[in-house]
Amino acid sequence: MKRLVVLAAVLAFCACTWASDPPLTYVRAGKLLDVRSGKILTDQVIVIRGDKIERVASAAQVQIPAGANVVDLSRATVLPGLIDAHTHLFLTGEDNGRYDEQLLKESWQYRTIEAVVNAKRDLDAGFTAMRDVETEGAMYSDVDVRNAINRGLIPGPRLQVATRAISTTGGYPLEGYSPEVTVPSGAQIVDGPEEARKAVREQIKYGADLIKIYGTHKFHFTPDGTMVSVPTFTLEEVTAIVNEAHSEGRKVACHAYGGAGLKNCLDGGVDSIEHGLDLDDGAVAEMATKGIWLVPTLYVYEGPTRTEDNASSGGKVSRASLHEPSFQKAMAAGVKIAFGTDVGPFPHGTQAVEFELMTKFGMSPLAAIQSATVRAAELMGWSDQVGVISPGNFADIIAVEGNPLEDIKQLEQVKFVMKGGVVVRSNLAK
Ligand SMILES: [Zn+2]
C-alpha cells in the first residue's frame, strides 16, 4: 500500500512536470530579417517554448526531433510582428463622418463589440502589438478589450491603452451644440493644473497604460496658406500632467500639429508628439535633444482629408502638404520616429499602407520597418518583450512572400501571423 502511494506521488509529480513544461515549436525561416542589423539571414530556425522565443540559430545548428511541432516558413521572409503606436480601436472606418452619431447614438457596449472586431482585423494584418490612444467617448472600454485579449478570451494585438484622453474646455468634440444641451465628450475635459492632475490619477486608477493629451486641437488656414494651430493646455497644465503620469510610471502622448500648443507639450516634457505635421526648426531641435518621439501618422491626412483641406485653403495648403516636409525635417535632425497610423477613421487592418508613404517621403524601407518593430517597442517600453525576434521575447512573428526591403508593399499582404507562439493566420502558398 505504502509503495502504491509513493508510486502515485511520483506519477503525480511527473504529470505535473509534463503539464507545466510548455511545448516546443520550431519555425523554419527561409529568410529572416534581423531588424536590428538590417541583414537578411537565411535558413534559420526559431525555437519557441510556450509563448516565448528560446533560441534563434541557423538550421545546421538546431536538431529538430522527430514528431516535433514544426511551422514551415522556409519559402518566406520572416520578421517580427508589426507594432502600430497610434490606433483607435473604437473608431470604425466604415463609420467615418459619423463621429457625433457614434457618441450620441451608440452605446459603449456596441462600440466595444466593434472594437473587438477591429482588434482581430489589425492582428490578422500582422499587427501583434498596438498603442491605442483613446476610446473617443467610450470611456474605459479599451481596458476591457485589453484585458480580454490578455486573458485569451478574444484574439487581438498586445495593447497599451490610453483610455479617455484629456483636453481643455472647447478643445475637443462634440462641439456646436446649444449650451442648454449636455452632450458627451470625445475626451476628458479639464481646466487648470489641479484638474489635469486629477484626470491623470483617475485614468490610471481605471487602467490607463499611458496618458494621451490634446496639445492642440482646432486649426484653420489663413488666406496666405499658413496653418494656424490653436493651443489647448498651458505649460503649467502640461507640466502637471507629465509630472503626475511620470511619477506613476506612465508615458504621455501629445497630439499636436504645431505652434504654441506643440511648444507647451515639448517644454512640459511629453514623451511623444502624435502627428507633428507642422514642426518648425525649433521644435525639431528640441525633440532631437530631449529624445521626444514623433509618431507621424501620414496616411490618415491623405485622401478625403487632403481634398477637404484644399477646399478650405483655396487650394494653397493641406495638412498632408505640410506633413511631408515636417516629417523630412524630423528625419534629417535624427528625431526618434515610431510607426503610427491613426487607423480608425480608415478601416482597421489596412494601415500597413503607411509604410508606402514613409518610404515615398524618403525613409529607407529598413528604417520604416524598424519604426514599426524595434523602435515602436522602445517607445512603448517593451523592448524586452516585442519588436525583435530574439530569445526572451514573445514569439510574435509574421511572414511575407517577397523581400520587404525591396518591396515595402509586401507588408500590406502579410501571409502568416503568429502571436505568443500561436498561429493566428497562415496563407502562404505551398
Ligand atoms: Zn489619433
Side-chain angles (χ1 to χ4, degrees), residues 46-247:
I46 305 163
V47 183
I48 297 163
R49 188 179 290 277
D51 59 359
K52 296 271 179 70
I53 296 163
E54 187 168 86
R55 189 177 168 213
V56 185
S58 77
Q61 292 173 313
V62 182
Q63 285 272 332
I64 301 180
N69 183 23
V70 178
V71 176
D72 184 13
L73 304 176
S74 56
R75 293 171 67 186
T77 304
V78 174
L79 57 161
L82 301 172
I83 303 169
D84 189 339
H86 188 126
T87 66
H88 296 284
L89 284 171
F90 287 80
L91 293 178
T92 299
E94 293 79 347
D95 293 337
N96 199 12
R98 294 179 53 242
Y99 189 84
D100 288 28
E101 218 175 314
Q102 281 184 74
L103 267 68
L104 292 167
K105 294 187 175 174
E106 289 172 3
S107 67
W108 303 338
Q109 291 80 358
Y110 181 80
R111 296 188 62 199
T112 305
I113 292 168
E114 285 192 323
V116 168
V117 174
N118 291 336
K120 172 81 168 96
R121 288 178 179 174
D122 293 333
L123 179 63
D124 280 346
F127 290 89
T128 51
M130 302 196 319
R131 215 176 50 140
D132 200 64
V133 287
E134 81 149 310
T135 58
E136 308 285 356
M139 297 298 281
Y140 295 97
S141 309
D142 52 355
V143 172
D144 297 315
V145 174
R146 178 199 68 197
N147 292 349
I149 291 169
N150 289 348
R151 290 169 194 162
L153 287 179
I154 55 168
R158 298 175 201 286
L159 293 180
Q160 283 185 3
V161 299
T163 73
R164 303 177 63 188
I166 310 173
S167 192
T168 55
T169 295
Y172 210 69
L174 303 182
E175 291 168 322
Y177 291 85
S178 162
E180 296 146 59
V181 189
T182 306
V183 291
S185 176
Q188 186 168 5
I189 300 301
V190 303
D191 294 293
E194 298 282 310
E195 282 185 22
R197 195 178 281 278
K198 187 172 181 188
V200 173
R201 289 178 179 164
E202 214 169 272
Q203 295 189 358
I204 293 174
K205 175 184 173 185
Y206 292 117
D209 298 304
L210 74 147
I211 299 298
K212 160 81 177 290
I213 64 171
Y214 283 85
T216 68
H217 167 52
K218 291 194 177 90
F219 71 94
H220 60 268
F221 301 114
T222 61
D224 70 348
T226 307
M227 185 175 74
V228 178
S229 205
V230 182
T232 54
F233 294 111
T234 62
L235 176 58
E236 289 71 31
E237 288 166 332
V238 176
T239 306
I241 289 170
V242 170
N243 287 346
E244 189 60 39
H246 285 180
S247 75

Side-chain angles (χ1 to χ4, degrees), residues 291-362:
I292 297 172
W293 291 84
L294 174 65
V295 183
T297 74
L298 300 167
Y299 176 73
V300 75
Y301 295 106
E302 294 291 339
T305 305
R306 187 189 271 268
T307 315
E308 278 164 33
D309 287 355
N310 277 331
S312 64
S313 72
K316 287 207 175 77
V317 65
S318 65
R319 279 173 282 176
S321 70
L322 294 169
H323 217 158
E324 179 176 349
S326 189
F327 173 71
Q328 286 164 340
K329 215 186 295 185
M331 244 190 324
V335 171
K336 297 192 284 187
I337 295 175
F339 181 94
T341 67
D342 216 2
V343 68
F346 61 97
H348 283 270
T350 66
Q351 66 263 49
V353 68
E354 180 83 9
F355 287 108
E356 267 184 75
L357 278 177
M358 292 173 107
T359 51
K360 187 177 152 197
F361 294 167

